[in-house]
Amino acid sequence: MHIIETQQLGHTYKGNIDALKNISFIAPRNTRIAIIGPNGAGKSTLFKHFNGVLKPTTGKVLIRGEPITKENIREVRRTVGLVFQNPDDQIFSPTVEQDVAFGPTNMGLDEEAVKHRVHEALSTVGLLDYRTRVPHHLSGGEKKRVAIAGIIAMEPQVLVLDEPTAGLDPQGVRDIVKFIKNFSVQYGMTVIFSTHSISLVAELADYIYVMNAGTFVAEGTVPEVFSQP
Ligand code: ADP
Ligand code: ADP
């Protein structure tokens, strides 16, 4: 059974904007998947379906074979961790450690367990020394890593990253790439990311979906997709 599957998924926003049309997507366990395509192709909309932020207009989203319902939405959000493109959309707390603690606390873990998760997550993204810093005063790349730490502290089975390197300087890009590589290998985790960077795709992706105007126009491994006419 696939950890995420969509069947003929369609999404229409208010104003008759067909952002997704007939999307059939599969994320096997332990793979790194890139979704590429121009702005407005529907990548962010698709990601928001992976953890129930949006509801399908047509078709289905299955998480470990089960449709997302009111009853299992909390479980789904623990299984699929979504890191938004703009870290300011998901950082709310006055300090870095409080922000990273938010998710595990919300899951009902006790104080010791939360502390442990926060420590692990900050160490994974290389921000242990930033515990008491104010998130909004950090650089774009640092904020991005705080947002990622907040998600991985919940130990999801799938990490979904919307343009993880957008707006970062070269060092910020290298940090994120290194993190994604090490992290996915260490935990055998499924990582799904969108990007405009071909080098990121070449370096990280086992499988690529190419999106345009709400549909997949090509898919395959890196050599398969890039050797197409
Ligand atoms: P991408 O992430 O590939 O840039 P999006 O999923 O953000 O694409 O957008 C897909 C399409 O849906 C675009 O035409 C965009 O303008 C539209 N769209 C995105 N969000 C909304 C919204 N909240 N309301 C209406 N239209 C939206
Ligand atoms: P619900 O469980 O009601 O759907 P959430 O758990 O997503 O809501 O969020 C509850 C409140 O906490 C909201 O006001 C939201 O803005 C805030 N919040 C959400 N995510 C975070 C975070 N990572 N750090 C701090 N506050 C957050």
Side-chain angles (χ1 to χ4, degrees):
M1 186 197 305
H2 303 296
I3 191 144
I4 299 182
E5 176 169 2
T6 74
Q7 297 175 347
Q8 288 91 44
L9 172 65
H11 191 90
T12 304
Y13 285 110
K14 272 194 204 114
N16 273 335
I17 299 155
D18 289 325
L20 297 178
K21 299 169 221 167
N22 213 15
I23 292 284
S24 295
F25 167 91
I26 286 170
R29 283 172 204 269
N30 199 2
T31 49
R32 293 189 298 231
I33 299 169
I35 311 238
I36 63 175
N39 285 331
K43 305 179 295 293
S44 301
T45 303
L46 179 60
F47 286 180
K48 287 175 187 162
H49 280 280
F50 289 162
N51 75 348
V53 174
L54 293 175
K55 279 187 192 164
T57 309
T58 56
K60 278 187 196 168
V61 179
L62 305 175
I63 306 300
R64 288 184 295 203
E66 297 289 329
I68 301 175
T69 61
K70 258 200 204 111
E71 287 67 38
N72 68 15
I73 184 83
R74 284 176 71 87
E75 186 61 32
V76 164
R77 297 223 166 122
R78 280 186 210 183
T79 305
V80 182
L82 173 58
V83 180
F84 291 109
Q85 187 172 336
N86 181 354
D88 292 328
D89 289 344
Q90 72 194 126
I91 296 177
F92 299 92
S93 304
T95 68
V96 166
E97 64 187 347
Q98 282 173 290
D99 204 81
V100 178
F102 180 85
T105 304
N106 218 16
M107 285 167 61
L109 297 179
D110 65 41
E111 207 176 315
E112 271 313 299
V114 170
K115 260 193 189 159
H116 182 71
R117 293 273 184 108
V118 170
H119 186 94
E120 290 285 299
L122 284 176
S123 141
T124 302
V125 299
L127 289 181
L128 261 188
D129 295 339
Y130 283 61
R131 273 171 293 206
T132 58
R133 299 276 289 271
V134 179
H136 285 287
H137 296 169
L138 302 178
S139 75
E142 289 163 348
K143 278 193 216 174
K144 206 116 196 181
R145 281 146 74 200
V146 172
I148 292 173
I151 296 297
I152 64 178
M154 293 187 277
E155 302 189 350
Q157 294 175 24
V158 185
L159 184 62
V160 182
L161 302 149
D162 198 352
E163 298 201 23
T165 61
L168 302 190
D169 64 18
Q171 184 57 47
V173 172
R174 279 193 292 274
D175 288 344
I176 294 279
V177 168
K178 199 171 94 191
F179 157 73
I180 294 176
K181 230 179 198 167
N182 293 345
F183 189 71
S184 59
V185 170
Q186 185 178 352
Y187 295 99
M189 185 187 252
T190 301
V191 178
I192 303 170
F193 63 98
S194 64
T195 186
H196 293 291
S197 160
I198 296 305
S199 66
L200 201 66
V201 169
E203 194 156 3
L204 289 177
D206 302 313
Y207 201 81
I208 307 166
Y209 288 91
V210 185
M211 249 187 139
N212 192 29
T215 61
F216 288 146
V217 293
E219 66 179 89
T221 59
V222 173
E224 282 165 4
V225 167
F226 289 102
S227 67
Q228 281 175 9

